[in-house]
Amino acid sequence: METAADQDLIAAVRDALRELANPERAAGAQAYMKSAIPFLGVRVPDVRRIVARAAADFPPVSAGQLRATVLELWRTAAFREERYAAIDLTGIRLVARDLEMLPVYGEIIRSGAWWDFVDGVSGRICALLQAHPVAVSATTREWSRDPDLWIRRAAITSQLCAKGATDTALLAAVIEPNLADRGFFIRKAIGWALREYAKTDPGWVEAFVVRHLDALSPLSRREALRRIASPREPQ
């Protein structure tokens, strides 16, 4: 039997979001994001505050209930901020190490199909990868070859928060199948992932760039080397 979503929590989030609606800000945000889904015009920090308050007032009783609540709020959202709120709910500690959240993130990525949603769950995927390295690394390797560009972007950015715990073999494995892709969001993701890891191990990143110099796009290469003071010239 499936666990039902918490309708009180969903209603609390929606009511509070609507109280802060700002039509002028909403129009600008929708134009900036090129969003088919309308905005309410609520600032991101306010969305986070609303979610934290609602979750405190109506605390989820189980991981299953929280997953169901996230998915219902996501699937029935009439405004983009409701989807932001659904993503914020996934930050609750109850599901931080819950491997069953991975399909939830997969649905958010595929159906959201835009950078704000995809990047909104990258940190959650990173946390799952640290908690379940074998299972999640296998999934991200599969994702790196998926026809859906957003799923591939999520695979590439799945270790942004890992720092010294980064699995470099996995990082290379999710980037390499995408080197030939000249789409902006993939090229940017490759550069971003490498740039972040360069904060921890610039030598590894520099060596990766040199090894793949002909395949990396100029954008990816420039981003990757941004934090490396004087990268060596390729031989």
Side-chain angles (χ1 to χ4, degrees):
M1 182 177 178
E2 293 186 2
T3 305
D6 186 337
Q7 299 299 333
D8 291 333
L9 175 53
I10 291 173
V13 167
R14 285 183 166 150
D15 290 347
L17 287 173
R18 282 160 176 75
E19 287 178 6
L20 292 183
N22 183 317
E24 184 177 351
R25 189 182 299 129
Q30 186 170 2
Y32 171 74
M33 290 301 300
K34 302 176 183 178
S35 175
I37 304 173
F39 277 79
L40 284 165
V42 181
R43 298 182 187 277
V44 169
D46 289 328
V47 175
R48 291 174 179 159
R49 178 181 56 78
I50 286 168
V51 169
R53 176 61 184 269
D57 289 345
F58 302 98
V61 298
S62 68
Q65 184 194 56
L66 182 52
R67 288 194 302 273
T69 302
V70 167
L71 285 173
E72 179 154 340
L73 181 56
W74 174 269
R75 291 168 178 170
T76 61
F79 299 94
R80 205 168 188 92
E81 288 93 340
E82 291 175 356
R83 288 193 153 185
Y84 293 158
I87 292 174
D88 284 343
L89 282 172
T90 69
I92 293 175
R93 186 176 300 179
L94 188 63
V95 293
R97 298 170 62 89
D98 181 6
L99 190 56
E100 291 187 53
M101 287 298 295
L102 197 54
V104 175
Y105 299 138
E107 177 173 334
I108 287 172
I109 293 162
R110 289 186 191 279
S111 59
W114 200 238
W115 63 267
D116 55 340
F117 296 141
V118 178
D119 298 349
V121 299
S122 66
R124 313 288 197 248
I125 296 169
C126 188
L128 286 184
L129 182 57
Q130 300 306 308
H132 307 279
V134 175
V136 181
S137 63
T139 296
T140 54
R141 285 172 186 265
E142 291 176 4
W143 282 8
S144 72
R145 298 176 181 275
D146 197 277
D148 188 320
L149 79 90
W150 300 110
I151 286 287
R152 287 186 283 117
R153 180 179 170 94
I156 294 166
T157 61
S158 64
Q159 295 193 85
L160 286 177
C161 304
K163 299 182 179 179
T166 298
D167 179 342
T168 54
L170 177 60
L171 181 58
V174 297
I175 290 174
E176 286 166 351
N178 292 284
L179 289 173
D181 191 313
R182 287 301 182 258
F184 172 79
F185 289 106
I186 294 298
R187 290 184 292 128
K188 188 71 171 181
I190 291 171
W192 187 16
L194 292 171
R195 186 185 74 222
E196 285 301 302
Y197 188 54
K199 297 176 185 177
T200 299
D201 190 344
W204 186 93
V205 172
E206 186 179 352
F208 182 91
V209 170
V210 170
R211 190 163 65 250
H212 297 286
L213 194 64
D214 292 337
L216 278 165
S217 72
L219 172 60
S220 298
R221 185 167 62 248
R222 183 171 62 251
E223 288 292 311
L225 299 177
R226 179 177 294 183
R227 294 184 178 276
I228 298 176
S230 53
R232 68 180 183 270
E233 292 295 325
Q235 302 299 314

